[in-house]
Amino acid sequence: RASRAVLIAHITAHFAVRISGTYRVVDDHGKSYFMKFFEDDRVPEKLINQGEILEIALSRRVSHKNVISYVSDGTITIEGKNYHYLITEFFHGVLLSELLNEGKIFPYQEARGMMCGILNGLRYLHSLHLNHIQLQSHQLLYFQAIHSI
C-alpha cells in the first residue's frame, strides 16, 4: 500500500494515497495523537459557523478527564488541496461496542464506575451548553484503569 509522510508542526503523519478521516500520528518524541482531516470543499455548510468547522471550534472549549482532549488545530495545503486538521490526545483502548459485541460482561463495580465517568463527561459537556444528541457504545472509548468518552 502506497503511503507518504507529511510534517505538520512537530508531528509527522503517514497517509495512504488519499487523505481523509482520522489517523494515528506521532510527534518527534514518539508520543501518539489522533489527527482528523477536513477537506475544505467537502465540509457541509451546516457544520461551519462563522467560518470555522464546528467540531474544531467546540473541541477547543473542552477540557475534562472523561472527554478526549484537544491538542491543536490548523490548516495545511497538500497537493493543491486545502485541509483543516484537528489533533487530539491518543487513546489506548477499545470501543465499548467492540467489547459488547464480543459478549463482554462487566462486573457491577466496573460497570458502575464506567457509567459514572460517562455521566460526569456528559454533565461537563452540558455545562458548556454542548449536547450530545445520540450517545451509543461505538462512540465510547474504554480501557480498564480510566473510563473516557
Side-chain angles (χ1 to χ4, degrees):
R1 191 174 186 191
S3 70
R4 65 180 155 204
V6 177
L7 183 63
I8 302 171
H10 62 286
I11 295 175
T12 302
H14 296 273
F15 304 102
V17 175
R18 179 166 155 64
I19 297 174
S20 68
T22 303
Y23 298 86
R24 178 180 178 203
V25 295
V26 180
D27 71 8
D28 296 340
H29 305 288
K31 184 173 180 182
S32 294
Y33 299 92
F34 284 121
M35 179 179 275
K36 184 172 183 178
F37 282 91
F38 304 86
E39 191 173 335
D40 277 2
D41 57 356
R42 291 187 173 218
V43 177
E45 276 300 312
K46 67 182 181 180
L47 300 180
I48 297 174
N49 185 28
Q50 297 177 343
E52 281 196 299
I53 296 171
L54 285 173
E55 183 174 346
I56 294 173
L58 296 174
S59 292
R60 287 188 205 115
R61 295 176 49 199
V62 175
S63 179
H64 188 275
K65 70 178 185 169
N66 297 104
V67 180
I68 296 288
S69 297
Y70 166 89
V71 175
S72 69
D73 67 272
T75 59
I76 188 169
T77 301
I78 302 173
E79 295 181 357
K81 288 189 177 186
N82 295 323
Y83 298 89
H84 287 273
Y85 62 87
L86 170 65
I87 300 173
T88 62
E89 70 178 325
F90 183 78
F91 180 85
H92 297 276
V94 297
L95 295 174
L96 182 58
S97 61
E98 292 174 21
L99 296 174
L100 295 175
N101 288 338
E102 292 170 0
K104 168 85 170 148
I105 298 175
F106 295 94
Y108 170 78
Q109 289 291 47
E110 189 175 355
R112 182 179 180 276
M114 188 179 351
M115 290 308 300
C116 287
I118 292 167
L119 293 174
N120 283 333
L122 285 173
R123 181 182 315 136
Y124 169 75
L125 291 173
H126 292 169
S127 75
L128 298 176
H129 305 288
L130 301 175
N131 295 311
H132 202 293
I133 295 170
Q134 187 176 27
L135 191 61
Q136 298 177 356
S137 61
H138 70 272
Q139 299 164 327
L140 300 171
L141 300 171
Y142 170 87
F143 85 112
Q144 219 148 13
I146 299 173
H147 307 286
S148 294
I149 61 171

